[in-house]
Amino acid sequence: MGHLRYAGRLLDSAEGGLRHDLQGIAAELARLSGWAYFDARQYSTARTYFTQALKLAHAHGDRLFMANVLSCMSLLTTYDGNPNDAVTLACRAQDAARAAGEQPLVMSMLHLREAFAHATLRDAQACHQSVGRSRDQYERSGGIEAEAPSWVHYFDESKLLVDTGIAYARLGEPARAEPLITEGLRRENADQRRGRAFHAYWLASAQLQLGKLDEACTSAGLALDLTAAIDSPRVSGHVQELHRRMVPYAREAPVLAFEQRMRDTLG
């Protein structure tokens, strides 16, 4: 945020090519600030920074980066309980990406953001259509990162699998979700602790929906351990929400053990 303020001060007097470059830098700094507040579950403040990032990207003339910011706003809006608006934002992101010269890897990621919103609405047909488009675009990309913007390089085959599984878990189709998230977690780099914590939560959620209490508590324990290492209010909030969903099994041994781990880890 300090760097963003500094870039903003430089923009006040910059001209020509320097101003253009600073707009791109400031857009990314604003987006990162938005993500930080999103992870802290301060959604209104996050939205303010994402909006600032979108304006800066528009001034910079970078339609692909506008698509990136709009996809962030779509995910935020899904979390904030407005999935209809999230669908609209995801579609706006896709339109911006097409206007920039369609990048298959970018489009694959954007279609999954749309799938998340449809899943939250429990619109199975629209969700499956978006997942299918995402998979088709990923296959078109060949997973080649060099031709795609750097900010989408994280979206590899492991992320495609995990996010597809998350969409199915949101939709209430845990039998489809579990093997996809399991495989994605197996492939992921162990250093990606924040992502792995989030994905372990969704695996536990799918397993709980399937009635696999032991497996759900094991996966939730992994999410809990990783959460303690990264200090993410968003992920710790997910783990606490999962614990509330375990109330019907409160006297079962795996749940009692998980509760003790929660007390030891989160206090």
Side-chain angles (χ1 to χ4, degrees):
M1 290 173 62
H3 287 303
L4 176 60
R5 287 192 292 270
Y6 179 60
R9 289 197 297 271
L10 292 177
L11 271 170
D12 289 339
S13 57
E15 298 178 355
L18 176 59
R19 180 174 181 82
H20 182 264
D21 290 346
L22 282 169
Q23 285 169 336
I25 292 169
E28 172 62 350
L29 289 168
R31 189 191 71 85
L32 290 171
S33 297
W35 265 113
Y37 276 107
F38 178 32
D39 196 53
R41 304 182 84 187
Q42 298 184 36
Y43 297 154
S44 295
T45 306
R47 188 176 295 106
T48 297
Y49 282 102
F50 285 149
T51 301
Q52 182 181 1
L54 187 62
K55 290 177 180 177
L56 287 161
H58 183 269
H60 187 239
D62 190 339
R63 289 188 176 273
L64 268 180
F65 196 77
M66 288 173 62
N68 184 21
V69 177
L70 285 163
S71 75
C72 296
M73 297 174 77
S74 175
L75 188 62
L76 168 66
T77 307
T78 297
Y79 269 82
D80 205 21
N82 296 294
N84 284 305
D85 290 345
V87 172
T88 300
L89 286 163
C91 291
R92 284 181 60 194
Q94 293 161 26
D95 289 342
R98 289 189 191 97
E102 190 170 313
Q103 289 269 1
L105 192 62
V106 172
M107 293 300 294
S108 179
M109 181 271 287
L110 296 177
H111 281 303
L112 267 181
R113 291 287 167 87
E114 182 184 354
F116 289 163
H118 287 308
T120 304
L121 288 166
R122 293 302 177 101
D123 187 337
Q125 182 177 3
C127 179
H128 286 294
Q129 287 174 345
S130 293
V131 166
R133 293 189 190 105
S134 177
R135 188 180 302 111
D136 291 345
Q137 290 287 347
Y138 189 85
E139 290 173 358
R140 280 187 59 202
S141 77
I144 299 172
E145 296 181 347
E147 299 178 2
S150 60
W151 47 261
V152 79
H153 285 184
Y154 80 96
F155 194 78
D156 57 12
E157 189 173 13
S158 297
K159 187 61 173 167
L160 174 69
L161 288 171
V162 168
D163 280 0
T164 299
I166 290 172
Y168 290 150
R170 287 181 181 273
L171 187 60
E173 297 184 358
R176 289 188 172 190
E178 185 189 19
L180 292 169
I181 302 173
T182 299
E183 178 61 16
L185 271 167
R186 187 188 68 79
R187 296 187 188 189
E188 283 177 339
N189 190 318
D191 293 337
Q192 298 172 330
R193 292 183 296 182
R194 187 176 302 270
R196 286 178 61 78
F198 182 65
H199 301 155
Y201 155 75
W202 277 107
L203 177 58
S205 179
Q207 290 166 334
L208 187 60
Q209 290 182 62
L210 289 168
K212 298 181 177 180
L213 192 60
D214 286 351
E215 292 93 330
C217 288
T218 298
S219 299
L222 172 60
L224 187 62
D225 292 343
L226 290 165
T227 299
I230 61 174
D231 188 24
S232 169
R234 182 166 64 109
V235 180
S236 61
H238 278 313
V239 173
Q240 290 165 352
E241 185 270 335
L242 184 68
H243 175 244
R244 289 192 289 272
R245 288 166 52 194
M246 292 179 178
V247 167
Y249 313 100
R251 296 190 178 186
E252 299 288 339
V255 176
L256 291 171
F258 175 63
E259 287 177 343
Q260 184 59 53
R261 288 180 70 179
M262 279 191 65
R263 285 192 291 270
D264 293 342
T265 304
L266 301 179

